[in-house]
Amino acid sequence: MTSLVIIAVAISAISGCSQGPQKKAQDQEHRPGVAEGVAPVFSDGPMAAAYEQYIQLKDALVASDQNKAASSAGSLHTTLQKFSEGGDTAQAAAVNAAIHAAAIAAATGIDAQRATFSALSNQMAELIKAADIASGTVYLTFCPMANDDQGAYWLANEQEIRNPYFGEKMMKCGVVKSTIQ
């Protein structure tokens, strides 16, 4: 009987190792809110659109998808240009963010896109702080190794670290510094 239990445990361990990472990835894909998080709800429609486009850009950088990053940055640039015409207190941040989004859209490589993403993220954080968030949370996340160890921020829907500055090279490098609600 003891031998049977040992054999059963060994088989379970072997099959668990061979399917472990795959099973873990499948579990994460089917658990809502793990990687994609829950987007905050903004009272202002244009702010909601800009934030969604920013998150699409961030996710493209996480995935090291230069083309999708350029496309998302182009959409974000167009949306942010509308903000800069508004004349409100966030106008300067919107103008600067639009400039950085355009630079990311025009960049010739993923490294150049990532280098500009830091400045865009800083301006987007200013816009988000000035926005009226009806519900939900935006996470202000920081990677100390980005920008040649100068560090850089980004915004996220989730607490889980998914680093847009390094992608797969250092996916988990970073820490949530604060929340915006």
Side-chain angles (χ1 to χ4, degrees):
M1 180 71 169
T2 305
S3 298
L4 219 55
V5 171
I6 292 172
I7 292 171
V9 169
I11 290 172
S12 175
I14 291 169
S15 63
C17 288
S18 64
Q19 295 176 353
Q22 183 181 22
K23 175 70 172 143
K24 185 177 179 183
Q26 289 172 348
D27 288 347
Q28 286 181 347
E29 289 177 44
H30 293 94
R31 289 188 307 175
V34 170
E36 60 278 343
V38 177
V41 176
F42 293 89
S43 299
D44 179 19
M47 185 68 244
Y51 180 74
E52 180 180 332
Q53 292 160 347
Y54 170 88
I55 292 298
Q56 290 171 357
L57 169 58
K58 186 246 333 161
D59 289 345
L61 294 174
V62 167
S64 298
D65 187 336
Q66 176 186 341
N67 293 331
K68 184 161 171 99
S71 174
S72 298
S75 297
L76 178 57
H77 174 256
T78 301
T79 301
L80 288 169
Q81 283 183 314
K82 295 173 187 168
F83 279 68
S84 64
E85 298 164 359
D88 62 6
T89 57
Q91 183 178 12
V95 168
N96 289 331
I99 291 168
H100 298 304
I104 292 170
T108 58
I110 193 81
D111 291 335
Q113 290 174 324
R114 286 176 168 150
T116 305
F117 186 68
S118 174
L120 172 64
S121 294
N122 292 339
Q123 297 304 310
M124 286 297 295
E126 292 304 314
L127 286 171
I128 298 298
K129 289 175 185 175
D132 182 19
I133 300 176
S135 67
T137 302
V138 175
Y139 297 93
L140 183 62
T141 312
F142 182 76
C143 172
M145 296 180 72
N147 290 336
D148 295 324
D149 294 329
Q150 297 297 308
Y153 288 91
W154 75 91
L155 303 169
N157 291 337
E158 66 280 337
Q159 290 181 339
E160 177 187 5
I161 302 300
R162 296 178 42 85
N163 191 315
Y165 297 105
F166 294 105
E168 285 296 321
K169 291 179 187 174
M170 293 194 313
M171 184 65 71
K172 301 294 181 181
C173 181
V175 63
V176 173
K177 286 291 194 174
S178 66
T179 59
I180 306 168
Q181 297 178 316

